[in-house]
Amino acid sequence: MTEIAAIGANKTALVVLGTINYYYDMIGERVAVALRVLGYTVTVAPLRTVPGAHYDWCFFVNLYEVCVGYGGYGAVDEAVDRVRSLVADSEHSATVLLECVATRWYAESYRLTERCGIPVLLDLGFHDQAAMVDPNMRKGYRFAFNGLLRTEIPSVRALLDAPLPRPVPWTFVGHLEPKRVKFVERLMNRLDTNGFVYLPTLAHMKADGPHLNADQLRAALRRTRYYVWCAHHDYFYIESERFKDALFAGAVPIKVLQTPLTAEQSAIVPFGYVLLDDADFDTRLAAMDFEAIHRRYIEDFCVLPTLEDELAVVIGEAAGLPIAGEPAHA
């Protein structure tokens, strides 16, 4: 466990989006919980209503959507001015992002981060992507492991002793895309026809629809053995939030990769035993022992660095504060 020594009474603004994607709101709330554990007083608000004040830290969760959510695409310049004002009034600031760095979404967020004068782009995920970042978009990049909150660990461990009936062999959730349709057909034809499939067209993810919200997804996963998915792009990326969705519901995540892991990739990612190659994923999945792999997955996740640990290191590095102890994964 890592702690910041003498952190004092600090004030933190955590700016989250409340109009386009509830997914990032939930991530923002988890970051806020972690910061409170570290001794901060935290304000959580969308950009338009965040109180003007001097802050020790400002975290912008998915800056691109923060700015678009301010007033639509036509108001991005006004949103940038508002962000720059908050940054100028804060001792430290960071963009928080959960994206593959090879995609256009990362590039857009990077350009906005620079434009707003934010010095840190915090990649919250499962593996350091620094080697994959375009050298022209690497300034300020910092990886932090997207771990559990300390308060979540006991309830996750309790899943080991409270198995639920899981009549659904697999669940697939993802935006409608031709490659994914073929993937689902393969699941049905080669694995089991009784899976749960949700393939909506691309749209904003609001808590009240039209997509499954967090509670609805978790309800489905509580009756599921394997939560299976594939990416809609061909770049290497491990979606940490999907892994946690499975974890909290007692399911096992299965990420199917288009190409096998390289030795370098295997060395930096956790849970390699649930990362399956597209060539034979159906055969390997059919042969898995669900109970054994479920236990292993929970036990492995609970000893990885917590979100508090990781944010403590980031804050300490930026502020030059003394750090006591070492990160759990050092």
Side-chain angles (χ1 to χ4, degrees), residues 41-113:
T41 299
V42 183
T43 298
V44 181
L47 181 61
R48 187 169 288 280
T49 60
V50 67
H54 176 81
Y55 295 103
D56 292 275
W57 272 93
C58 270
F59 290 90
F60 300 90
V61 181
N62 195 324
L63 183 62
Y64 176 77
E65 294 204 6
V66 167
C67 289
V68 172
Y70 180 79
Y73 294 102
V76 168
D77 288 344
E78 183 182 345
V80 167
D81 289 342
R82 176 69 171 131
V83 171
R84 290 180 64 87
S85 176
L86 287 169
V87 170
D89 287 340
S90 302
E91 294 293 326
H92 307 281
S93 58
T95 295
V96 178
L97 195 62
L98 290 89
E99 293 287 358
C100 172
V101 298
T103 64
R104 65 177 178 85
W105 297 284
Y106 174 85
E108 290 169 348
S109 292
Y110 180 85
R111 287 191 287 268
L112 267 177
T113 297

Side-chain angles (χ1 to χ4, degrees), residues 204-220:
H204 293 158
M205 295 177 63
K206 298 183 180 181
D208 59 351
H211 293 315
L212 292 177
N213 61 32
D215 291 338
Q216 292 166 335
L217 174 61
R218 195 163 296 178

Side-chain angles (χ1 to χ4, degrees), residues 6-314:
I7 202 167
N10 297 288
K11 182 184 292 184
T12 298
L14 182 66
V15 180
V16 298
L17 183 65
T19 57
I20 293 180
N21 195 332
Y22 77 91
Y23 165 82
Y24 291 106
D25 289 348
M26 295 190 305
I27 293 165
E29 291 289 352
R30 295 184 79 256
V31 172
V33 171
L35 291 170
R36 291 185 182 111
V37 171
L38 295 176
Y40 284 78
T41 299
V42 183
T43 298
V44 181
L47 181 61
R48 187 169 288 280
T49 60
V50 67
H54 176 81
Y55 295 103
D56 292 275
W57 272 93
C58 270
F59 290 90
F60 300 90
V61 181
N62 195 324
L63 183 62
Y64 176 77
E65 294 204 6
V66 167
C67 289
V68 172
Y70 180 79
Y73 294 102
V76 168
D77 288 344
E78 183 182 345
V80 167
D81 289 342
R82 176 69 171 131
V83 171
R84 290 180 64 87
S85 176
L86 287 169
V87 170
D89 287 340
S90 302
E91 294 293 326
H92 307 281
S93 58
T95 295
V96 178
L97 195 62
L98 290 89
E99 293 287 358
C100 172
V101 298
T103 64
R104 65 177 178 85
W105 297 284
Y106 174 85
E108 290 169 348
S109 292
Y110 180 85
R111 287 191 287 268
L112 267 177
T113 297
E114 280 223 309
R115 184 179 172 190
C116 292
I118 301 172
V120 177
L121 197 158
L122 187 60
D123 177 12
L124 197 59
F126 271 3
H127 55 100
D128 193 331
Q129 300 185 85
M132 295 171 57
V133 180
D134 183 322
N136 296 317
M137 294 186 290
R138 195 174 291 162
K139 181 181 177 183
Y141 175 88
R142 172 67 161 81
F143 168 71
F145 185 78
N146 188 13
L148 296 174
L149 294 166
R150 295 173 189 172
T151 55
E152 293 171 337
I153 294 175
S155 61
V156 169
R157 287 192 182 279
L159 292 170
L160 291 170
D161 302 315
L164 294 172
R166 296 190 177 273
V168 182
W170 55 267
T171 286
F172 184 95
V173 175
H175 289 124
L176 184 63
E177 187 265 342
K179 182 170 65 175
R180 283 175 165 163
V181 173
K182 293 180 180 179
F183 185 88
V184 169
E185 289 177 348
R186 185 172 166 187
L187 280 168
M188 297 180 69
N189 293 333
R190 299 190 187 181
L191 193 65
D192 197 310
T193 58
N194 295 315
F196 174 76
V197 181
Y198 184 70
L199 280 170
T201 55
L202 184 62
H204 293 158
M205 295 177 63
K206 298 183 180 181
D208 59 351
H211 293 315
L212 292 177
N213 61 32
D215 291 338
Q216 292 166 335
L217 174 61
R218 195 163 296 178
L221 293 181
R222 285 196 186 103
R223 300 179 62 79
T224 299
R225 292 195 288 278
Y226 297 104
Y227 180 27
V228 188
W229 73 92
C230 62
H232 60 284
H233 55 71
D234 295 328
Y235 305 116
F236 174 70
Y237 185 68
I238 307 302
E239 297 87 351
S240 59
E241 287 297 306
R242 283 197 187 245
F243 274 74
K244 286 196 288 189
D245 286 338
L247 181 75
F248 294 139
V252 169
I254 300 291
K255 170 66 185 286
V256 177
L257 305 172
Q258 296 302 305
T259 56
L261 287 173
T262 65
E264 293 78 10
Q265 291 167 346
S266 295
I268 64 170
V269 297
F271 315 121
Y273 48 90
V274 294
L275 305 178
L276 306 186
D277 298 342
D278 181 72
D280 63 352
F281 83 87
D282 41 11
T283 303
R284 290 183 60 189
L285 185 54
M288 280 187 173
D289 180 335
F290 173 76
E291 296 297 338
I293 203 164
H294 178 240
R295 176 170 292 274
R296 179 182 179 184
Y297 178 55
I298 289 176
E299 291 174 344
D300 287 352
F301 213 134
C302 287
V303 297
L304 287 165
T306 65
L307 187 56
E308 293 93 337
D309 291 339
E310 294 292 278
L311 289 179
V313 173
V314 172

